[in-house]
Amino acid sequence: MLRAQTEGARLEKQPGFQRLHAEAHVPIPDYGNRARCLVRLMRLGMPVPDAVALSVAAVRAIAAGQMPDVASILAVFGADPVVSVRSSPENPAWGGPGTVLNIGLNEKVCARLAEHLGDDAAAEIYARFVQSYSVHVARLDAEEFAACFQPGIPAAESRDLALRTYELEMEEPFPQDPAVQLGHVLRSMARAWEGTTARLLRQAKGAPADAALGLIVQRMALGLGPGECGAGVMQLVSSATGAPQITGRYQSQAQGREALDGENGVAYLTRDARGPSLQDICPAAFADLEAYAREARRGLRDEVQIEFTIEGGEARILDAAAVQRSARAAVRIAVDLAEDGIIPREEALARIEPRALTEMLHPQIDPRTQRDVFAHGIAASPGAATGRIVFNSNAAQASAAQDEPCILVRFETSTEDVRGMHAASGVLTERGGVTSHAAVIARGIGVPCVVGASDLNLNPREKTLTARDGRVFREGDLITLDGSSGEVLAGAVPTVEAALDDAFVSLMEWADAVRDIGVRANADTPADAQLARSFNAEGIGLCRTEHMFFEEDRLTVMREMIFADTPEDRRAALEVLLPMQRDDFAALFETMQGQPVCIRLFDPPLHEFLPSGREAMLDLAEALDLPVSRVVSRIEALQEFNPMLGMRGVRLGITVPEIYEMQARAIFEATIEASRNGDPVVPEIMIPLVSARREVELVKTRVDAIAAAVRTEKGADFNYTLGVMVETPRAALRAGDIATTSDFLSFGTNDLTQMTYGLSRDDAGRFMSTYVSLGVYPEDPFHTLDPDGVGELLLIAAERGRDARPDLTLSICGEHGGSPESIAFCRRAGFDYVSCSPFRVPVARLAAAQLALTDRVEDRKIAE
């Protein structure tokens, strides 16, 4: 003992080495996370085997060939020690070299162990060490040692074969000096961390290029010998749900994490029907371990999995690591820790990655499932869906009518596919990006979607889908989409259902209590609005009215209006649509119960409501009682070279004013109706695709006139606001002019990004990954708001708009509204709210709360 203390003192004088004890100072950047964790366990009074930590600097020196005084490290553990070496990265998520056990075993130590364990057990542990050292340290081929461990071979013969194999391959005897063994292990692990493969794997997990690694040399708790001995792991919660549940595994006469591998000889921890448990085998050790785990939870301020060894019925704690957890479990764990007073609520909020909440809101593919992936695309709308392939919206609706789940497969979707998308369980497109039509609509309605699957060959005429590997899928075949990863799988795949429990509700309530920016939802139907309410959206920030016109009974009337030759005939057709539109708006207002509803007036070009195929044109001619030639001629006349930049939005509203007049009347009549039945409604009317103040003046004049007429006709008063959807760079630059006639500016960042970059959001996915990987753009600007280009336009518009009108309301209603990065930008710019798809509302609420908390911390630091 005296010698060990002396050697320990000598070791402490060497820079970069630290003997671990309750008072040791081991900063994580210097020694890594595991070293810090072991010290904290020691402070909690847990039976942790002696250990020495090697600093990051020492490990880097070892990798460079500067070996430390290894003998002084071993001397800390007394005469003839047996030790292990474990990695201690700065962040556990980065991984690290695998643990090497039983360093120090040689002929002398093996003979001593034989007295304690028996000849066979000592010989087997020595043979396994020789094999492990040879493969992981000497880098010999594992297959060379397969013959050493054939069934029926005595342990002593396995040992001798392993030693001979090493000597044959290395042309020298197996090292007997423990210091030599330890030195080689340290050098091997240090160099493995610095290797190219390991570095790339770390960087894929988000680690920096210079990620730090410390090492831990720890006395072996053998887990072998007389009495109850073994090894295992224990945690107090379910990794899937976070609910209290003692789980783990234990194996008698085992070392390290052997209890996690295989089934032979493995016992579970608590009594159940699966067989003997540690609770039965060694109840005293089980009780101690449960107490240690609970103390570790309090002391480490997290749910942890403890790794333990039992020797002669006594438990030893080797390590404690954060429990692996699903998003659902992460929320439950954070909330429970806060409610138990272990962490404050603010920390519970900060521990949850906002985007991880999407996993809770949608079914996910069971992680235990074998994946037969035949195509990859862009993950456009999260969740998993299985269904039979269909190639058009009519087939999707027919499938839904028969309660048969389907996957709608298209080159790309358009507004006429919206009904089919609602009917489908999932959407797959060959083209498109994260803000393509399919992606935006799918996220809004909560349907899993994969877009830009360019390695597929879609043949709608033959109704086939051909994968790059040659497999052909036909209409009616079962496939599965993983909208969270962008993978397309063959066949039906087991899924894990979504679950929003009390912990989720509590976390969201805590988030709402601290966030300082509003969060609304984009919703086009009463069902969307109800979903938005369920996620506590503070109103609707974007209602796209054109989607209401694609129902079968409305589409024909809409086409009659398009084929009308005079304003009077157009008004007559729109009169039929008026009560339908009024009912739509009234249902939205009643669902939102007095919360704001921002309705975007009609936006798409008219040709999107007309068929493209010859057979469909013939059907339309029959429905409208018109010659086919006239139908074809009208469709051709409405075609545009670039519909995105053509007759749509406010341009259509000014040249065909009857549409906006009908919509304004429907809004105001619905306002009166909904206000009778509930809280007063103040609708917000938004004009799309504006680029000049005069456009706003013309529409505003007509809308105000309709409002006055409705007030007179109905004998009722109401209020409303009118604003602009800023989607063009000119509207952003002329925001000061436009604001003088507008109550609000809401930035449609999907189209604004498209116009600023000169990129089609439907086609950019073909080359965007190359652009990002080559550093042309730091991120896909359709996925993450571009702060330099598009962001500067937003800042210019915000400043000029509020200079002209200080009470101007500012918001984002594009898909960027659900992005934490975009929310941070909007908060800095002084925006009033963001609006996003309903399923992104919880993400936005949590992200906004975290940003507000971060600002509080910064303000507190400045004040101090």
Side-chain angles (χ1 to χ4, degrees), residues 746-747 749 785 794 810-814 816-817 826 831 833-835:
S746 188
F747 294 86
T749 53
L785 181 68
L794 265 62
L810 299 173
S811 67
I812 276 183
C813 62
H816 290 114
C826 292
F831 280 38
Y833 70 86
V834 298
S835 187

Side-chain angles (χ1 to χ4, degrees), residues 443-455:
R443 282 195 294 271
I445 62 180
V447 171
C449 178
V450 175
V451 300
S454 56
D455 52 356

Side-chain angles (χ1 to χ4, degrees), residues 436-636:
S436 63
H437 179 271
V440 171
I441 301 303
R443 282 195 294 271
I445 62 180
V447 171
C449 178
V450 175
V451 300
S454 56
D455 52 356
L456 289 175
N457 183 10
L458 170 62
N459 187 332
R461 182 182 298 274
E462 299 294 330
K463 295 186 176 180
T464 60
L465 195 63
T466 304
R468 181 170 292 178
D469 63 8
R471 281 189 284 179
V472 178
F473 297 84
R474 293 176 170 79
E475 187 167 55
D477 288 348
L478 276 173
I479 61 171
T480 299
L481 300 184
D482 187 345
S484 302
S485 69
E487 293 179 335
V488 188
L489 293 73
V493 176
T495 59
V496 178
E497 290 304 310
L500 302 182
D501 53 19
D502 292 342
F504 175 84
V505 173
S506 295
L507 189 81
M508 289 293 98
E509 289 175 350
W510 300 348
D512 291 340
V514 299
R515 64 182 169 88
D516 53 11
I517 188 170
V519 178
R520 298 194 194 179
N522 300 340
D524 304 333
T525 66
D528 295 342
Q530 190 59 55
L531 187 61
R533 291 286 298 186
S534 71
F535 290 139
N536 279 2
E538 297 170 309
I540 294 176
L542 172 63
C543 172
R544 293 161 288 216
T545 54
E546 59 269 14
H547 295 157
M548 300 173 176
F549 293 102
F550 281 95
E551 296 297 329
E552 197 66 46
D553 56 339
R554 306 179 189 196
L555 186 58
T556 300
V557 180
M558 188 68 182
R559 288 169 170 173
E560 287 178 0
M561 187 276 296
I562 293 172
F563 277 85
D565 292 322
T566 66
E568 291 73 22
D569 289 343
R570 284 195 290 271
R571 286 193 178 95
L574 290 167
E575 280 291 326
V576 179
L577 288 175
L578 173 63
M580 303 177 188
Q581 186 95 114
R582 180 178 60 228
D583 290 346
D584 290 333
F585 295 143
L588 279 177
F589 295 151
E590 290 169 4
T591 300
M592 298 313 294
Q593 299 175 1
Q595 288 189 326
V597 176
C598 185
I599 298 172
R600 184 180 73 183
L601 296 175
F602 192 87
D603 181 49
L606 293 178
H607 76 84
E608 291 192 5
F609 293 85
L610 300 176
S612 56
R614 181 74 182 179
E615 185 176 342
M617 291 181 188
L618 177 60
D619 291 340
L620 179 58
E622 291 178 349
L624 300 182
D625 193 22
L626 295 172
V628 174
S629 59
R630 185 179 171 191
V631 170
V632 173
S633 176
R634 184 65 170 158
I635 292 174
E636 289 176 350

Side-chain angles (χ1 to χ4, degrees), residues 313-444:
E314 297 289 331
R316 300 284 184 272
I317 305 301
L318 305 182
D319 194 17
V323 166
Q324 294 293 315
R325 61 201 72 181
S326 66
R328 179 183 177 188
V331 170
R332 174 70 180 268
I333 289 169
V335 169
D336 285 352
L337 289 170
E339 292 185 337
D340 290 346
I342 294 174
I343 62 174
R345 288 183 176 181
E346 291 79 5
E347 186 173 341
L349 287 168
R351 287 190 178 191
I352 307 301
E353 165 60 37
R355 289 187 177 91
L357 294 182
T358 56
E359 181 183 319
M360 300 183 65
L361 308 179
H362 303 274
Q364 300 291 322
I365 291 178
D366 191 323
R368 298 167 295 184
T369 300
Q370 285 289 107
R371 291 175 172 241
D372 181 7
V373 178
F374 67 88
H376 293 82
I378 297 170
S381 180
T386 296
R388 300 192 180 279
I389 295 173
V390 296
F391 290 97
N392 58 61
S393 289
N394 289 337
Q397 291 178 280
S399 184
Q402 299 172 13
D403 293 325
E404 181 72 48
C406 66
I407 304 296
L408 176 61
V409 181
R410 305 285 287 163
F411 282 120
E412 57 185 336
T413 62
S414 64
T415 47
E416 65 183 9
D417 292 309
V418 170
R419 288 179 297 134
M421 295 176 71
H422 275 277
S425 299
V427 178
L428 171 64
T429 68
E430 186 176 320
R431 298 175 59 192
V434 291
T435 57
S436 63
H437 179 271
V440 171
I441 301 303
R443 282 195 294 271

